[in-house]
Amino acid sequence: MKMIELLQKDTLSISFEVFPPKTDSTFDSVKVATEEIAKLRPAFMSVTYGAGGGTSRYTLDIAKNIKELYGVPTLEHLTCVSSSREMVREKIAEIQAAGIENVMALRGDIPKELQNVDRSRWDYQHAIELVRELKESGADFCIGGACYPEIHPESVNQKEDIHYLKEKVDAGCEFLTTQMFFDNNLFYNFLYKIREAGITVPVIPGIMPITNANQVARAIQLSGSFMPQRFKSLVDKFGSDPAAMKQAGIAYATDQIIDLYANGITNVHVYSMNKPDVAEKIQANLSDILGK
Ligand code: FAD
């Protein structure tokens, strides 16, 4: 099923993100974890591409598995920045052949070792070029793009970031998913600004349940997200007690989702990080709201 159809519901829908394994030896454990999450029957599941320590090689296998065994709509991520046009075209053909209908078109992070090289001759500089490549492939994909309520770390300012976001949407993105945030007001402000800039496609907020104290530093480093005092207090209080931290982090994420829904947002994506127990608890916390 296409994402754009899924996003039409006016009641709360929760979706989960998983990432592929790093190595062959961890493939089976990731497969089991993603299957456990699929059994919760989320609105859809996204599978990252080479992010979060996973490798691009397994993204399609995991996505196909979720779709074929559990019938859960799948959103396959694809990045372009350090790939050749030939590689990207080959990947697009494979995704199409596997019957995956939804693709998240991403630039990808510049690998550390390539940050100082001349990138002007690379086949792709920005995600918009991948959106165009997907369109030109002739496949009937529903294409999504990433967006950043707290601006992308490389952007000079929000105005410029939103300007390029509008170009990306105009090139063919039918929906957007946000970077994680821990203060919903940042998301509401962002939504107001992009609507004002003429971006009208559905925007899915991405919520990351922080379930251990070490994750906090990594989340900030990856996303540059602002940590509200309410969240910092929670980490101060429970950070040294793993079970309590997990419970508090899940409660915080649940609270964010309830507030989003109360403010008219019907689709929320949860960065569940291959943790079926976390996905299950969030879903259980929302059971009456979700009607599950
Ligand atoms: P772009 O849209 O290209 O934007 C990157 C920067 O370039 C921004 O500052 C933007 O303002 C600027 N820009 C855009 N277009 C232009 C232009 N034409 N000219 C000049 N500047 C421009 N990474 C992975 O490796 N794998 C994943 O699976 C993955 N999934 C993600 C999912 C979500 C929801 C999000 C939010 C991020 C994800 N990422 C993933 C991380 C992402 O790849 C990085 O954040 C990356 O740095 C930017 O990707 P982008 O697609 O937003 O890039």
Side-chain angles (χ1 to χ4, degrees):
M1 193 183 215
K2 294 252 177 74
M3 289 285 299
I4 198 65
E5 292 160 43
L6 290 167
L7 298 173
Q8 300 306 322
K9 274 182 72 183
D10 55 8
T11 50
L12 181 64
S13 287
I14 299 289
S15 50
F16 295 116
E17 179 162 294
V18 294
F19 57 83
K22 226 176 188 171
T23 58
D24 282 344
S25 61
T26 52
F27 184 83
D28 285 342
S29 63
V30 172
K31 186 167 163 273
V32 170
T34 56
E35 287 182 13
E36 290 300 313
I37 296 174
K39 282 183 197 159
L40 299 171
R41 310 219 53 81
F44 70 90
M45 283 172 74
S46 66
V47 187
T48 66
Y49 188 85
T55 68
S56 47
R57 199 149 70 87
Y58 301 108
T59 298
L60 189 57
D61 294 343
I62 297 283
K64 259 174 75 176
N65 199 48
I66 294 166
K67 184 173 179 276
E68 286 168 9
L69 292 184
Y70 296 92
V72 173
T74 317
L75 170 62
E76 162 130 6
H77 290 201
L78 184 61
T79 65
C80 59
V81 75
S82 45
S83 304
S84 68
R85 203 165 287 281
E86 196 186 353
M87 277 163 69
V88 167
R89 287 184 178 162
E90 207 173 286
K91 212 72 208 173
I92 293 173
E94 283 174 21
I95 296 171
Q96 186 183 13
I100 304 281
E101 295 170 289
N102 306 298
V103 179
M104 185 76 166
L106 297 144
R107 186 196 72 176
D109 281 320
I110 317 283
K112 247 195 201 119
E113 65 279 12
L114 299 178
Q115 263 162 17
N116 296 321
V117 305
D118 173 16
R119 291 182 229 147
S120 60
R121 294 169 72 161
W122 286 8
D123 285 349
Y124 302 93
Q125 306 291 335
H126 294 287
I128 189 172
E129 293 150 55
L130 179 56
V131 175
R132 292 188 181 127
E133 190 80 62
L134 285 158
K135 285 291 211 194
E136 282 162 18
S137 73
D140 186 21
F141 293 124
C142 178
I143 305 169
C147 64
Y148 304 83
E150 296 174 72
I151 84 168
H152 185 273
E154 291 164 35
S155 289
V156 176
N157 55 46
Q158 193 167 44
K159 201 170 168 202
E160 187 188 282
D161 207 20
I162 292 177
H163 165 83
Y164 289 125
L165 184 62
K166 169 103 172 48
E167 280 191 355
K168 188 162 71 173
V169 169
D170 290 346
C173 284
E174 291 180 73
F175 67 94
L176 297 167
T177 306
T178 76
Q179 180 60 282
M180 68 182 90
F181 54 87
F182 299 94
D183 178 347
N184 286 2
N185 286 327
L186 294 165
F187 173 73
Y188 300 135
N189 288 338
F190 171 71
L191 202 55
Y192 177 81
K193 285 184 183 162
I194 64 167
R195 296 300 186 225
E196 224 184 6
I199 298 174
T200 57
V201 296
V203 181
I204 312 172
I207 298 296
M208 164 82 88
I210 298 286
T211 54
N212 67 68
N214 299 335
Q215 223 183 319
V216 179
R218 185 160 159 70
I220 299 176
Q221 187 208 341
L222 271 177
S223 64
S225 302
F226 164 71
M227 293 279 164
Q229 188 53 46
R230 198 163 78 84
F231 189 80
K232 285 187 195 154
S233 305
L234 184 148
V235 179
D236 284 349
K237 178 80 180 166
F238 303 114
S240 56
D241 177 342
M245 184 62 227
K246 191 170 183 176
Q247 195 167 43
I250 289 171
Y252 190 93
T254 306
D255 196 37
Q256 277 192 281
I257 297 170
I258 292 172
D259 179 71
L260 287 163
Y261 186 44
N263 283 285
I265 307 298
T266 50
N267 296 281
V268 180
H269 197 47
V270 178
Y271 295 120
S272 46
M273 310 287 288
N274 298 1
K275 292 178 185 153
D277 56 330
V278 173
E280 196 178 348
K281 283 195 175 117
I282 289 196
Q283 192 157 295
N285 284 348
L286 297 164
S287 59
D288 286 336
I289 299 173
L290 289 165
K292 283 194 179 183

